[in-house]
Amino acid sequence: MKNILYIGKYNGIIGGIERYMQKSAELLRQNGFAVHCRYIESGGQEQEAFAAAFTSIAQFSVDDQILQNNDMIILHNIIDVKYLEFLPVNKTFFFAHDHNIYCQRHHYYTPLGRINCHRAYNKFICQLCSLGRNPAPPLKEYRKFPALVLSDFMAENLRKNGFEKVCKLPAFIKTAAAEHDFMPGGVLRILFLGQLIRGKGADIMLKTLAKLDIPFTCTIAGAGKDRPMLETLVEKFKLCDKVHFTGFVSEPEKLWANCDIFCFPIRWQEPFGLVGLEAMAHGVPVVAFDLGGVKEYLADIKNGFAVPELGDMNIVFRLIYEHPELLPKLSKAALDTAQNKFSEAGFIAKFKEICGGRQ
């Protein structure tokens, strides 16, 4: 089996979904696969680099012969159900990167209080929760396809929403071991990297840092609609001399060498959180709320810190500051996790196993 077709929403980088599509396509092509991409609408950053990852790329069309002339189709986003009839059921997978296949609000937390949800889709309750702003998820139409996930957390969510065939395809990462100079000058360097939207929790982090009484700096890397609100919080909390915004970063690798910990203050239940694994692959310990799929790689007090949902991260920050000898140990364990549990070879082996089962 050689010809793979990815179907996604954009032809550029918006967030983790597109980054995963790009990186996995590059790895598959290095291992002898042809990987094509068809996108629903134009959008995103780094469109040229994104396109270069694929054997071919074009806007989705039901008349495209590649819909039939392939060995495997992977839907990386929900597309209009009217297009599904053009996809062969016996070789099409739905990759659940988000909650929108069973959450009408898409965020999987309530609009009032932002309380994380754990229920299966319910037509009446979910319609009320979404305030009627979004259409009902097309569960019936998508259940006919086998599902792919990155975490046991997502596998459980799909099964309780009626998906009978769910397969975990492990994430992969290439490690970048390098000498790391932790806390130069005795200052704790905190990094946030991600979309600046409410679910990623940068505002929670800033409210926490406003009470932190140790020497620290914080870099907020990423773009999104919440940046003005976050800049207002920085001014309100008098953090202007400690918090720096970079905007969208095309080469995040440069950030990892200049931080001591990666802060992952997620509000929503992250389906996996690839950026956390990326931090570990660079030997950077992760401090995250213990939500969603982060347990796939984050082991509390071993390769980072898993803080109870909306708990006080300052306890961890102070602990690290007072015991900087912990950082090299956590760093080594983080690298070991990335190398041993999320190798490229492991991903390719599992991918071939799944492909073979669909022939």
Side-chain angles (χ1 to χ4, degrees):
M1 183 172 292
K2 293 290 183 181
N3 290 290
I4 311 298
L5 173 61
Y6 280 5
I7 299 178
K9 187 172 183 179
Y10 301 109
N11 63 329
I13 303 297
I14 295 291
I17 295 176
E18 295 79 26
R19 187 70 72 184
Y20 178 88
M21 291 173 64
Q22 177 182 348
K23 295 297 184 183
S24 61
E26 290 171 346
L27 180 58
L28 288 169
R29 290 183 68 190
Q30 291 167 13
N31 284 269
F33 292 85
V35 187
H36 306 271
C37 177
R38 296 297 181 264
Y39 58 91
I40 304 301
E41 60 184 87
S42 183
Q45 305 278 348
E46 303 179 22
Q47 293 186 6
E48 185 175 337
F50 185 80
F54 299 96
T55 307
S56 74
I57 186 169
Q59 193 152 16
F60 180 87
S61 169
V62 297
D63 298 321
D64 196 331
Q65 291 299 310
I66 202 167
L67 295 182
Q68 302 300 325
N69 298 333
N70 62 74
D71 298 300
M72 182 180 185
I73 297 174
I74 301 179
L75 293 167
H76 284 277
N77 292 93
I78 294 174
I79 62 175
D80 195 307
V81 294
K82 66 183 180 183
Y83 298 133
L84 298 184
E85 65 179 282
F86 298 96
L87 306 181
V89 175
N90 66 334
K91 56 182 178 180
T92 299
F93 286 81
F94 170 62
F95 210 138
H97 295 280
D98 271 321
H99 300 300
N100 53 0
I101 191 62
Y102 47 77
C103 175
Q104 200 160 337
R105 270 178 48 79
H106 301 174
H107 310 305
Y108 211 32
Y109 55 69
T110 63
L112 298 177
R114 297 190 177 92
I115 299 170
N116 278 307
C117 181
H118 304 283
R119 68 170 70 246
Y121 174 73
N122 178 283
K123 179 179 178 180
F124 301 104
I125 294 175
C126 296
Q127 175 76 5
L128 180 63
C129 181
S130 73
L131 306 177
R133 293 176 181 174
N134 297 312
L139 278 169
K140 179 181 178 181
E141 292 82 1
Y142 273 79
R143 286 186 187 120
K144 66 182 180 182
F145 300 123
L148 298 175
V149 295
L150 291 174
S151 66
D152 290 332
F153 165 72
M154 286 300 290
E156 179 184 352
N157 282 349
L158 289 183
R159 290 190 181 106
K160 70 184 179 185
N161 279 281
F163 281 81
E164 295 182 357
K165 299 178 182 178
V166 182
C167 180
K168 186 166 77 169
L169 179 61
F172 66 92
I173 196 75
K174 182 177 289 185
T175 55
E179 290 294 324
H180 207 110
D181 183 18
F182 286 108
M183 288 182 58
V187 177
L188 181 65
R189 300 168 301 171
I190 301 167
L191 173 65
F192 173 95
L193 173 61
Q195 294 185 72
L196 303 186
I197 56 178
R198 203 58 57 92
K200 299 297 183 179
D203 59 314
I204 297 174
M205 178 185 70
L206 290 176
K207 291 172 184 176
T208 298
L209 295 181
K211 303 174 184 177
L212 187 58
D213 57 358
I214 62 172
F216 75 90
T217 62
C218 177
T219 298
I220 297 179
K225 63 182 181 180
D226 276 0
R227 177 163 176 171
M229 178 270 290
L230 297 173
E231 290 175 330
T232 298
L233 287 179
V234 168
E235 293 181 4
K236 175 183 177 181
F237 297 139
K238 297 180 172 57
L239 295 172
C240 295
D241 59 338
K242 295 182 177 181
V243 177
H244 170 62
F245 291 85
T246 70
F248 181 83
V249 177
S250 60
E251 296 181 289
E253 292 78 13
K254 296 179 180 179
L255 297 171
W256 300 119
N258 296 305
C259 72
D260 302 307
I261 56 174
F262 173 62
C263 184
F264 204 22
I266 47 176
R267 175 177 274 112
W268 79 326
Q269 300 167 89
E270 192 73 49
F272 181 84
L274 284 164
V275 67
L277 181 58
E278 185 177 353
M280 289 189 172
H282 288 81
V284 177
V286 175
V287 179
F289 289 130
D290 188 9
L291 286 169
V294 298
K295 291 179 180 178
E296 292 289 322
Y297 53 83
L298 182 58
D300 190 34
I301 319 177
K302 294 181 180 179
N303 56 16
F305 294 89
V307 180
E309 181 177 355
L310 299 181
D312 186 3
M313 285 188 168
N314 279 348
I315 295 174
V316 174
F317 297 152
R318 290 192 189 97
L319 175 66
I320 294 172
Y321 175 75
E322 293 170 0
H323 299 278
E325 70 276 6
L326 291 173
L327 286 169
K329 299 176 182 178
L330 293 168
S331 174
K332 183 180 183 304
L335 274 171
D336 288 345
T337 297
Q339 289 173 335
N340 298 329
K341 192 175 179 181
F342 299 98
S343 68
E344 293 180 338
F347 169 85
I348 290 297
K350 186 63 176 181
F351 192 90
K352 288 181 177 179
E353 177 186 322
I354 293 171
C355 288
R358 302 300 292 173
Q359 289 180 329

